[in-house]
Every structure is written in C-alpha cells, then in structure tokens.
Amino acid sequence: MITAYKKHIVSALILVSSLFITGVASAQIITIPVETQHNALVLQTDADKNLKMVYFGTRLSNTDEYTQIQKMYKQSDDSGVLNDAYTPSGSANLVEPAITVIHADGNTSLNLVYVSQAITKIDDDVSLLTITLKDPAYDFEVKLCYKTFFKEDVTEQWSVIEHHEKGTVTLSKFASANLYLKGDGFWLKQYHGNWASEMQPEESKLMHGIKTIDTKLGTRADLYTSSAFMISMDKPATEDEGKVLYGAMEWSANFKEDFEVDPANNLRLIAGMNNAASEYHLKPGEEFTTPAFLYTYSDHGKGDASRKLQSWARKYKIVDGEGPRFTLLNNWESTYFDFNEDKLKELLKDTKNLGVDLFLLDDGWFGNKYPRNGDNAGLGDWQENKKKLPNGIGSLVKEATADGVKFGIWIEPEMVNPASDLYHKHPDWVIKQPNRPEKYFRNQLVLDLTNPKVQDYVFGIVDSLFIKNPALAYIKWDCNAVIYNAYSSYLKKDQSHLYIDYGRGLYNVMARMRAKYPKVPMMLCSGGGGRVDYGALQYFTEYWPSDNTEPLERVYIQWEYSYFFPAIASSNHVTNWGKEPIKYRVDVAMMGRLGFDIVVSKLSGQELDFCHQALKNYDNLKDIIWHGDQYRLQSPWDNDAASLMYVNSLRSQAVVFNYLVNKRYNSGTKVPIRLKGLDPQKKYQVKEINLYAGAKSSIGDNLVLTGDFLMKVGVNPDVNEGRTSVVLQVDEVK
Ligand code: DGJ
C-alpha cells in the first residue's frame, strides 16, 4: 500500500509527465491536465491552437484518457460549446469575454492561441503552471497562471497581460479566470447583505442568460454581496453529497463574476476585477497582473468542499493560520467614544479579572483640534487625544503589561473626516470630485491610496504605533466608507485606473506592514463584514464578521461564513446585543476566536463565574476549534436547533455546539443528532460542558459510546426552551 505522502508524489509526477508526453506525442493537440489530489481541470488545444477547457471535476483514473476528451465535443459553429479557456473578444467570439482590448493602433479585435507552458514545483504540495497565449496578429500576450494546492484540492488562478505594441493598449476587460463547467443544471448559492446582516444566502437554479454578482463600492467590496459563492452541478449539493464548486475573488476592491449558461447548457464562469469605469491603459512592456480567483471542488458535498478551503486557508493564506490567537476584551460597546485614561485603566483591570489575554482599545482615542468624540471628526489625525489620554497610549500599554494583559488598538487609516487637520493640510490626498459637492459615508471620505505618498502616510500610521509602543500586541483595522465621487488628483488623465490602483495601493501598504510586522495579530474589519476576502486576509489573522453580535443572528452569520473561512479567523465577541443569557452568548462566540465587549463589572457573580469556567473550557478546546475539521450537523435554516462540531486530526477529541434557533412552542431536539468525523472504532465519552455552577446536565455524566454509534445513531443534546444552548465535549476513552 502506498502512503498518502507517496501517493501525492506519484500524482505530482503524473502531472509533469502528462504535460510532456501529450505535448510530444501530438504536435497539433496539446493536453494540459491541472490536477490536484482528487480533481482535474483539463485544458486542450484545438486544431487552430485555441485553448479550450474540456473537463472539470473528479480526476480520471486513467490520466492518459485526458487526451480523448476533446473528441467527445462536437466542433462546429452550431455546437453551442463555448469553452475557451480565456475568451477573447472582437474576433470570432461573440459571447461574454474574459478579455477585451483596444490595441495601440485602435483595433479592437483579439485572438489568443497557445504558445507554451511551464510548470514550477514550489514544494511537494504546491505547483504553478503558466500557459502563454499570444495574438498572432499583434505583439500581445496573456499568461494564464494556475497555482495548485494538491492535498487541499484548491486552485488559485490569475492572468498576466503584457504587450510590446507601438503605444499604449487599453484593457477594457481583464478576467482572472474563465472556467467551463459541464452539468445537468447548475445551482448558484450566493450571498447578499448589508450592515449588521452580512452573508444572507440565496440558492437558485441558473437559467440561460448571464447572472452577474458584482460590486462597485470601491472599498467595503463585500458590503452588499460577497464574491464567495458555490455552484452545485447536476442537482443542489447537500452537506455530504453532490458535486459542488466553491469560488471567490481574492480582491478587496470592485469585482465581477458572470455565470452564463451557454447554448450547449454548460456553464461559463468569468471572474475578475470589475471592469466598470475601469479601463486600464497599459504601456508596452508593462505587466498587468490580475488578482487570483480561488476555487475548490468536491463531489462529496458542501461540507467536504468547505473543509478543503478551511485547511488551505489555515495553511497557506491567513497570517499564522496554524498558530494561536488571543482572547480579548474590547471597549467599543461599553464606552463608545466616551472614555478617559482612568476609565481605560479600570477596563484593563476588568480584562484581568475576566481572564482574557488582551485589552483592545477601540475608536475614539485620537484627534486634538478635531477630537474624535463622535464619528464626525478626527479621522486622519492619529495623535492621542490629550484630554482623554494625557499620558498617551504608552502609559496604557505599560499599565496593561503591569496587569499581565496585552494591549491592542483600533485604527481606520484609509479614511479622513473633513473635520480633521489632515483634510485641511492635504485636500489632494482625498478621493472626491473637484467640481461636485462632497458626499460622505459615516461623515467621512476615503484617502487616495493610488498615490504613493498617501500609501507612505497610511503605512506610517501603523509603523509609528509600533515604533512608539513595541509591546503593542494587536491591531483592529477598520474601513467604514465606500468611494463616492471617484476622482483622484494623483491619477490625472488615468481616472479609470482609480478602483484598480486603489486595491493595489491598499495591498502595497498591507504587504509593507506584514514585511515589518509579520506575525502581530490583526483584525480585518469594515464596519462589520464589509471586507472579508482572501486578498486582504493574507495580511490578517482574523476578520470581524458583523457588528451584529445578537447571538441568534450570529448563529446564522457565522454558519454561512464558515463555508469559506476557518473558525480561527472568525472574531466572535460576547456583547449585550439581544436578550439571550450569558451562556448562549458565550457558547455562540466560542465557535471562533473568542472575545468580549461587555461591562465586566455589571456581570452578576453567577455570570462572571460562568465566564471563568467557559474560558477554562475554551482553553482546553480552542486547539480543536481553531485547527480541527469542522462538520455541520444540522442547519439553523431548517431545524429548531443548529448543530455543528469540530474534530481534531487524531479523531480523539471533538466539541459539539448546539443552539436553539426556533423559540416557538415545544421546539427543541426530539431525536438524536448524528455526529461526523469520528473514528467508528474508538470509544468516546460525551460530556456536557459550559454549565452554570451547580447545574446538572440532562444528558447524564457517564455517557460512553463508540464512534460508530455516535455517527450512525447520534446523541440528543436535549436542546429545549430551558436549555437553549448545549456544548458537548467528546473525548476518546482508551
Ligand atoms: C465599526 C466597527 O465594526 C465597530 O466594531 C467599531 O470598531 C466601530 N467601527 C468604531 O467606530
């Protein structure tokens, strides 16, 4: 028997050799399988060297047979098979293109034919395949890049566009990826939302015509819709069954995803930066690199696909995804802008008293001429407010250290209030139309990150906080405004570059920040989940899913985010939103990186005792929640109770969270809930934890069952009106 490791090497070799063999064996037809552990995307040239996508799905057992696929497609004008691997426009293709250009001589046609390919093995798991396509009539080329993560079944795809024409070429469209999926019907699960109602799912069958998901907000790209989606093929996939592709843009500015069912009833998928108001002028020799479009595929349902993405994100994308996180106390909802040094020092004591690692000072600590005492002033002036903090942040960091807690701070460095010194000093650093009234979002405007001087300024805000306070242990980076009146004084005649260069400028700053401070935990926030994507998350340890911390709402919001993002990246705070008891609030916040935003001194003795006990339990279980495999057991959308679990890699420990979401008469769990991911051979003790002091669990304290039983029959957590949330710890008994 070959081990998983050996198998992986063999498969990687197959990938390399099949490229070689097919390339040599047939001069005309080149077959390029892009394989991961379970899946394959197969590209093939036609007789005219056009590159087509001929297969996407589970790998074939006999990889030699990839060469046979093209023959199965009818090659004629009326076949309706529109499967270009990167559809150009203005020549023979009359459907939605991946790329549209105006050549230096004004011609608007483009053809792209296969020229070459190269593969770089980055390590045992990761490879980068680059395929070069060229226009036979113009010195214009596109490189299609496929970075595959073999074990995780994840691919990142992007394109690099370059030309050597005699003058500037205008790019009018520039997708990252253009996929072609075959199926007997396609079901799209997409997400809409707004402030406090992020990640609201909708699933519908795709009909002929184009369905577009896009954003034009400039910043806060995910405020109204996320770029993350799922496509089920043949029939809607369930948690454990069915074929499903997950996709998302790794881009924090405007994006666009088109889903087009072609005349042959297959799905063309084109994803990239949004080209709306964004024509890009490309000089000869300049490279235009698109952000990556990310995808994974499973033929075992949505749960399997999400576990692939979660483990990829932990290993390769988010900062320190396999490392630890701090528990914390945040002061936003307990003080808002109304605090001073004494009050904060009390909160530092509360942090210690509660027993969490870090105190996070939120908005309101800066601005002097225009003090930040509300959301209408001060953004841009990042000096401590002398009235509130006469001794500066430094004295708070010192005090925190003396109290044995760490200190973190909130910033919103991309933004400016018109009531600020910065706005008056550098009006040209602000995105706004010169000849129109200003329009504000939360009383603020966006700084022009296309301008390198502004990038330096924004980097300097973070840098000087760390230089002055080397013990600073955490940053919350917020972003509360969209881009109205898009105009940059810096870009001059290239105004249509604004959205793209904004995104690039933002990443320049974040990359600089991470080069200097590689591991400091940082939360990605945008007035809630207005910016949750893997483009930005590569610079952050965690994200803020929503300002809505009402725990019942959070069950749904966290549930949906979890399809795409791992629990370790989800900042979940216990607050006073809603009417649920402290236990329910803590139990819900525990399925992620746990924090609090409450007045600790207002907790009753029983509540504080509960929090202490729950924090101890969290300490025992956090490794499983952060780094284990997540299984969704029962959806809140169709059941009285939501249920999900995390299992460690040895399958020796698990934790099951159960939350009542329907409070109507007699609601609750009437039958056992089947667990998943355990070892059928092992015996486990199931024990209820997170109980109030003195409370007895109705599931008893000596429940020992096999994994086989727990997965076939299940366990009833006995969730009901009197037990609205139940946490079960599952430990192997030897
Ligand atoms: C919006 C964030 O989502 C909140 O958590 C808080 O940090 C406020 N901004 C502060 O203004």
Side-chain angles (χ1 to χ4, degrees):
M1 207 181 104
I2 46 175
T3 61
Y5 174 73
K6 272 192 191 148
K7 243 197 231 163
H8 163 56
I9 298 282
V10 172
S11 310
L13 290 175
I14 289 172
L15 170 62
V16 178
S17 60
S18 61
L19 293 177
F20 177 71
I21 292 165
T22 49
V24 168
S26 158
Q28 265 88 40
I29 306 296
I30 313 252
T31 304
I32 312 172
V34 185
E35 289 180 317
T36 56
Q37 189 173 15
H38 300 101
N39 304 327
L41 178 161
V42 182
L43 302 162
Q44 210 160 41
T45 57
D46 65 11
D48 299 323
K49 290 201 170 178
N50 298 306
L51 189 67
K52 305 285 179 179
M53 180 162 161
V54 295
Y55 182 74
F56 183 86
T58 309
R59 283 169 62 156
L60 299 189
S61 315
N62 179 359
T63 49
D64 289 346
E65 286 185 325
Y66 287 136
T67 54
Q68 304 301 313
I69 300 175
Q70 177 99 321
K71 293 177 196 153
M72 303 296 151
Y73 285 82
K74 191 175 165 196
Q75 302 284 319
S76 66
D77 289 348
D78 65 356
S79 73
V81 177
L82 303 170
N83 60 340
D84 280 277
Y86 198 72
T87 315
S89 59
S91 54
N93 294 291
L94 304 177
V95 288
E96 186 62 30
I99 180 166
T100 304
V101 307
I102 306 172
H103 292 285
D105 65 3
N107 187 292
T108 54
S109 71
L110 184 67
N111 271 350
L112 291 171
V113 297
Y114 172 88
V115 174
S116 63
Q117 60 183 292
I119 189 153
T120 314
K121 257 184 94 33
I122 296 167
D123 60 32
D124 278 352
D125 195 35
V126 189
S127 305
L128 176 63
L129 168 70
T130 307
I131 303 172
T132 303
L133 309 176
K134 274 203 165 123
D135 188 334
Y138 284 89
D139 200 347
F140 185 97
E141 72 167 42
V142 178
K143 287 196 180 80
L144 304 183
C145 304
Y146 301 81
K147 187 170 185 184
T148 50
F149 299 83
F150 188 85
K151 274 187 255 160
E152 295 74 18
D153 281 324
V154 167
T155 304
E156 289 182 305
Q157 186 182 339
W158 67 93
S159 53
V160 182
I161 304 168
E162 195 185 348
H163 72 89
H164 293 277
E165 298 186 16
K166 292 191 183 74
T168 298
V169 168
T170 300
L171 305 180
S172 311
K173 193 164 186 202
F174 25 72
S176 302
N178 181 175
L179 302 184
Y180 191 73
L181 311 178
K182 208 178 134 358
D184 296 333
F186 303 92
W187 283 260
L188 171 69
K189 185 172 177 190
Q190 64 184 97
Y191 293 89
H192 69 99
N194 202 340
W195 180 78
S197 58
E198 291 84 346
M199 291 301 271
Q200 303 299 313
E202 283 172 334
E203 188 160 25
S204 55
K205 186 171 185 193
L206 287 167
M207 307 308 279
H208 290 86
I210 298 185
K211 158 90 191 179
T212 299
I213 297 176
D214 78 334
T215 185
K216 301 185 186 81
L217 302 183
T219 53
R220 309 198 69 188
D222 304 306
L223 186 62
Y224 298 150
T225 186
S226 168
S227 78
F229 65 86
M230 301 173 197
I231 297 276
S232 298
M233 285 158 245
D234 297 346
K235 57 182 181 188
T238 62
E239 198 59 32
D240 299 307
E241 282 175 355
K243 300 174 185 166
V244 63
L245 167 118
Y246 279 35
M249 280 303 301
E250 295 185 24
W251 183 236
S252 308
N254 294 350
F255 61 78
K256 184 169 193 262
E257 294 163 334
D258 289 316
F259 305 85
E260 181 177 19
V261 180
D262 78 354
N265 302 327
N266 295 318
L267 184 65
R268 307 182 66 240
L269 167 51
I270 299 173
M273 294 187 285
N274 201 333
N275 58 335
S278 293
E279 284 193 336
Y280 211 91
H281 308 125
L282 193 66
K283 297 195 188 82
E286 204 183 327
E287 276 189 348
F288 182 92
T289 303
T290 72
F293 174 64
L294 165 75
Y295 48 96
T296 187
Y297 170 80
S298 171
D299 56 9
H300 285 86
K302 293 174 178 171
D304 184 48
S306 77
R307 282 184 290 282
K308 288 171 195 273
L309 214 49
Q310 291 178 4
S311 59
W312 168 82
R314 285 193 299 263
K315 188 154 185 213
Y316 293 108
K317 211 62 189 182
I318 58 174
V319 174
D320 210 11
E322 295 183 313
R325 295 292 184 269
F326 294 135
T327 52
L328 60 83
L329 178 68
N330 189 190
N331 72 314
W332 175 238
E333 295 191 10
S334 59
T335 66
Y336 293 104
F337 298 96
D338 181 20
F339 56 80
N340 58 25
E341 189 175 289
D342 289 343
K343 210 172 198 178
L344 294 181
K345 287 190 171 167
E346 284 304 309
L347 294 181
L348 290 176
K349 300 262 177 303
D350 283 353
T351 310
K352 184 160 176 74
N353 187 11
L354 181 62
V356 291
D357 303 319
L358 181 138
F359 174 72
L360 169 60
L361 173 59
D362 215 285
D363 197 353
W365 57 268
F366 50 90
N368 284 296
K369 187 165 168 201
Y370 301 94
R372 182 75 172 166
N373 292 329
D375 65 12
N376 54 353
L379 280 179
D381 301 348
W382 297 99
Q383 301 79 32
E384 293 99 323
N385 178 279
K386 293 208 171 84
K387 262 201 191 146
K388 288 180 184 172
L389 305 176
N391 301 305
I393 298 292
S395 105
L396 291 170
V397 179
K398 219 166 148 194
E399 179 93 5
T401 312
D403 286 341
V405 295
K406 298 185 188 306
F407 192 89
I409 201 159
W410 176 97
I411 50 172
E412 192 178 1
E414 294 159 75
M415 300 289 160
V416 63
N417 284 123
S420 70
D421 274 333
L422 182 75
Y423 177 88
H424 291 103
K425 209 167 148 202
H426 292 292
D428 56 320
W429 284 10
V430 180
I431 296 181
K432 55 179 182 153
Q433 290 286 350
N435 51 2
R436 294 188 192 279
E438 291 176 1
K439 180 164 167 58
Y440 309 121
F441 196 112
R442 206 194 188 204
N443 307 310
Q444 65 197 53
L445 293 163
V446 182
L447 289 176
D448 182 6
L449 277 174
T450 69
N451 182 342
K453 279 200 188 128
V454 179
Q455 293 174 24
D456 288 346
Y457 171 78
V458 172
F459 170 72
I461 296 166
V462 185
D463 197 30
S464 63
L465 275 170
F466 282 118
I467 291 171
K468 285 195 210 139
N469 308 289
L472 191 66
Y474 188 93
I475 296 274
K476 174 178 178 183
W477 178 308
D478 207 345
C479 163
N480 284 287
V482 300
I483 297 182
Y484 288 129
N485 285 324
Y487 179 89
S488 151
S489 327
Y490 173 77
L491 287 173
K492 304 204 168 60
K493 290 218 169 333
D494 283 329
Q495 289 304 317
S496 59
H497 290 198
L498 193 145
Y499 294 115
I500 293 175
D501 286 354
Y502 186 91
R504 290 174 171 174
L506 176 68
Y507 290 167
N508 280 347
V509 174
M510 290 175 173
R512 266 173 88 182
M513 184 176 85
R514 274 306 172 196
K516 192 155 177 196
Y517 307 102
K519 274 210 168 176
V520 180
M522 295 195 195
M523 184 210 285
L524 177 64
C525 173
S526 178
R531 180 188 274 170
V532 186
D533 68 84
Y534 280 116
L537 270 173
Q538 68 183 305
Y539 305 109
F540 288 81
T541 47
E542 53 216 73
Y543 66 91
W544 182 235
S546 178
D547 274 358
N548 189 342
T549 46
E550 198 285 309
L552 195 59
E553 291 291 329
R554 271 295 185 119
V555 169
Y556 292 84
I557 292 174
Q558 291 171 196
W559 182 275
E560 293 302 331
Y561 272 117
S562 83
Y563 282 106
F564 303 91
F565 304 97
I568 190 168
S570 179
S571 310
N572 302 337
H573 292 183
V574 175
T575 71
N576 284 327
W577 281 53
K579 298 196 182 89
E580 302 302 331
I582 191 80
K583 170 171 163 52
Y584 195 101
R585 288 181 270 155
V586 172
D587 288 355
V588 171
M590 265 171 78
M591 54 159 151
R593 197 280 288 135
L594 174 63
F596 293 78
D597 194 346
I598 47 171
V599 184
V600 176
S601 56
K602 285 198 182 150
L603 292 175
S604 69
Q606 189 206 33
E607 287 174 329
L608 188 59
D609 282 351
F610 173 81
C611 290
H612 285 153
Q613 188 52 49
L615 277 160
K616 271 195 199 134
N617 292 334
Y618 185 68
D619 216 35
N620 283 336
L621 297 170
K622 64 191 183 190
D623 189 50
I624 311 171
I625 298 167
W626 293 346
H627 308 122
D629 283 328
Q630 185 209 35
Y631 293 87
R632 287 175 216 86
L633 308 177
Q634 226 181 238
S635 160
W637 300 100
D638 324 305
N639 297 282
D640 285 354
S643 181
L644 72 156
M645 67 186 285
Y646 300 89
V647 186
N648 70 354
S649 58
L650 296 174
R651 297 197 284 172
S652 59
Q653 268 203 309
V655 54
V656 189
F657 293 101
N658 307 277
Y659 311 107
L660 188 72
V661 290
N662 176 10
K663 303 244 170 111
R664 297 187 65 186
Y665 174 72
N666 198 24
S667 56
T669 51
K670 315 276 178 354
V671 292
I673 297 174
R674 284 193 286 263
L675 305 192
K676 296 178 189 171
L678 300 175
D679 182 341
Q681 310 297 332
K682 286 187 172 147
K683 271 193 174 167
Y684 297 92
Q685 176 168 51
V686 182
K687 192 175 81 187
E688 182 170 356
I689 56 163
N690 278 13
L691 290 159
Y692 287 110
K696 274 229 151 272
S697 169
S698 59
I699 70 152
D701 28 67
N702 199 18
L703 192 61
V704 176
L705 294 160
T706 60
D708 181 57
F709 181 96
L710 289 168
M711 293 193 291
K712 285 181 181 155
V713 178
V715 60
N716 189 336
D718 194 20
V719 173
N720 58 51
E721 278 169 47
R723 289 164 49 83
T724 54
S725 73
V726 174
V727 183
L728 302 176
Q729 187 175 325
V730 181
D731 290 303
E732 182 184 0
V733 184
K734 296 242 174 156

